[in-house]
Amino acid sequence: QNWTRGMSYCLHSESHLDTGPIYVRENGKLHVVNQGAGGIQNVTPKTRPFRLFSRGFSVELCMNREDDRARRQRTDHFIFTYTKEGNLRYSAKSLFSLVLGYISDNVDHIDSLIGFPEQIAEKLFSAAEARQKFTEPVTGLRALQKFTEAYGNLVLCSLCLRNRYLVISEKLEEIKSFRELTCLDLSCCKLGDEHELLEHLTKDALSSVKRLLLKDNSLSDAGLRRMTAPVRVLKKGLENLLVLDLSCNPKITDVGIGYLLSFKKLNCLDISGTGLKDVNAVIKRIQMQIGLVHSKVPLKEFDHSNCKTEGWAEQTVLQWEQAVMEAIKPQDNLRSRTAALHFYGKTHRIEEVVKCKLVEAETKASGNLQFYKEKVQNCHLPLKKEVAGSHELKNNKKRALAEHERERTSKQKHLCLTVEDWDLLNTY
């Protein structure tokens, strides 16, 4: 009893502390201390539910606003259509489309696509392209590299960047990620000899290029020496090149043309508008060492209309171009500045346009310096009248009299055959 009274007194003295009920075991029974009366009640304790938090505790769920926006932009899991009666009808999307959308949203986290089916990979690329995943600065490059490493020329086999220098400067790393290109048009981009993209042309990733158009790029003999070094020394690089356009590059001289003689597989070459000193000597040298014949009429291969961007990433390149054009739009507000320059008697110089006009004028004055192989002449027909082409063929035949005589005699033999002879031959 004295012990229980002392405990009761202690509880009364520290009543400001909420310790809760206290249980005391006495004589094998459990008693609860009654704090109000100061005694012990022999009552079986009631089980209290366990509470991790107090009754006044509350939790407020806050979602990230950026994630909320991303979820709002996503399409729902249902497809809404209308019936003939005009009623709204919805159907659930397929599991394949849902999974495809989820993977395309996280395409930059893919480790590898090597060995993945091409049909599904093309749909995955289109889904990621529709979400403009390849236009993002860092993640877009990483995702594009996964596709180019696995599928090569299926992603892009032909790339036309004619007069798109801003796209090259903004998306250089993405352009360098393309592999196994067969056609590359970099005309009118003013790249120069030191550009990183020209150095990339000599890598093994672009050894499959067969058609290269470098018209009006401010190239010189030094640039041609670097571009042809792997072919001349290591037999690598642009060894499979068939068509090469180096027109409108006035800094290329007779020395630079000598570097092009390492391209033994060339079928068409355009060096119009270059700074050649002895044109006749260059023409003879090209004909003797590569076997290309000078054409007096423009060839269809250098029309630049056949070169187009083809592959899965065709729309991706267009998205890059649109993004660059939208970034240039704020410069339209500078009209007041140009007006002030005109007021003070100053004119805005546009050097690039003037240079292009001068180069084109020099090209027309000097004439076309386009070359082709006689064996593949039927595949590269001229653009002008066929009469001029026939005269050129006749002149070439006169140079090789023996071959001409053989062809004429063979034709006469064929003409001497009658209908009965042809029927007899067909029976065999």
Side-chain angles (χ1 to χ4, degrees), residues 51 82 125 128 191 307 318 358 374:
R51 293 181 180 273
Y82 288 93
F125 189 92
L191 298 180
C307 185
L318 292 178
L358 291 176
E374 293 180 334

Side-chain angles (χ1 to χ4, degrees), residues 74-263:
R74 294 176 185 173
T75 57
D76 296 333
H77 292 175
F78 299 97
I79 302 175
F80 294 93
T81 56
Y82 288 93
T83 60
K84 296 180 179 180
E85 294 78 10
N87 298 326
L88 183 62
R89 181 179 61 185
Y90 66 91
S91 58
K93 290 185 178 180
S94 62
L95 181 60
F96 176 79
S97 61
L98 295 178
V99 174
L100 194 67
Y102 177 78
I103 297 177
S104 61
D105 288 334
N106 303 275
V107 68
D108 56 304
H109 297 289
I110 296 176
D111 293 334
S112 178
L113 288 170
I114 298 176
F116 199 70
E118 299 175 359
Q119 294 81 1
I120 302 178
E122 183 178 2
K123 295 181 180 180
L124 179 60
F125 189 92
S126 301
E129 189 179 56
R131 289 166 170 79
Q132 296 186 354
K133 287 292 182 179
F134 301 114
T135 58
E136 299 176 359
V138 180
T139 59
L141 173 60
R142 185 164 58 247
L144 188 61
Q145 289 175 347
K146 300 301 179 183
F147 282 95
T148 54
E149 290 174 358
Y151 305 103
N153 60 352
L154 293 177
V155 179
L156 209 65
C157 62
S158 178
L159 178 59
C160 180
L161 295 174
R162 179 181 175 88
N163 200 17
R164 291 176 176 86
Y165 178 78
L166 294 177
V167 178
I168 296 176
S169 60
E170 291 293 331
K171 298 294 181 180
L172 179 60
E173 295 299 326
E174 285 81 354
I175 294 172
K176 289 169 60 177
S177 66
F178 293 122
R179 296 169 177 264
E180 300 179 8
L181 288 174
T182 57
C183 180
L184 181 59
D185 189 354
L186 300 174
S187 303
C188 304
C189 289
K190 304 289 184 181
L191 298 180
D193 297 330
E194 303 293 336
H195 201 274
E196 188 176 354
L197 185 56
L198 291 179
E199 182 182 357
H200 181 67
L201 290 175
T202 61
K203 302 296 179 62
D204 293 336
L206 293 181
S207 60
S208 59
V209 173
K210 297 182 179 180
R211 185 179 182 187
L212 181 61
L213 306 178
L214 296 173
K215 178 181 179 181
D216 192 11
N217 270 285
S218 303
L219 297 177
S220 64
D221 297 338
L224 295 184
R225 179 167 56 87
R226 295 175 183 175
M227 190 173 64
T228 58
V231 181
R232 292 184 287 107
V233 180
L234 303 174
K235 303 300 180 182
K236 294 182 179 180
L238 298 172
E239 58 179 352
N240 296 319
L241 199 61
L242 299 178
V243 179
L244 179 61
D245 185 2
L246 294 173
S247 60
C248 300
N249 290 292
K251 296 182 181 180
I252 296 178
T253 63
D254 303 11
V255 178
I257 300 300
Y259 299 127
L260 302 179
L261 302 178
S262 58
F263 296 134

Side-chain angles (χ1 to χ4, degrees), residues 221 249-257 271-280 282-283 286 369 371:
D221 297 338
N249 290 292
K251 296 182 181 180
I252 296 178
T253 63
D254 303 11
V255 178
I257 300 300
I271 54 175
S272 305
T274 55
L276 301 180
K277 296 180 180 180
D278 193 349
V279 178
N280 294 327
V282 171
I283 292 175
I286 292 175
L369 291 177
F371 300 86

Side-chain angles (χ1 to χ4, degrees), residues 283-318:
I283 292 175
K284 292 180 180 180
R285 189 177 181 184
I286 292 175
Q287 184 175 359
M288 292 297 295
Q289 298 190 18
I290 307 181
L292 299 181
V293 181
H294 178 222
S295 177
K296 295 183 180 180
V297 294
L299 299 177
K300 187 177 180 180
E301 289 292 334
F302 304 106
D303 189 19
H304 294 274
S305 61
N306 296 327
C307 185
K308 299 178 182 179
T309 302
E310 297 178 355
W312 296 354
E314 180 179 354
Q315 295 298 324
T316 302
V317 177
L318 292 178

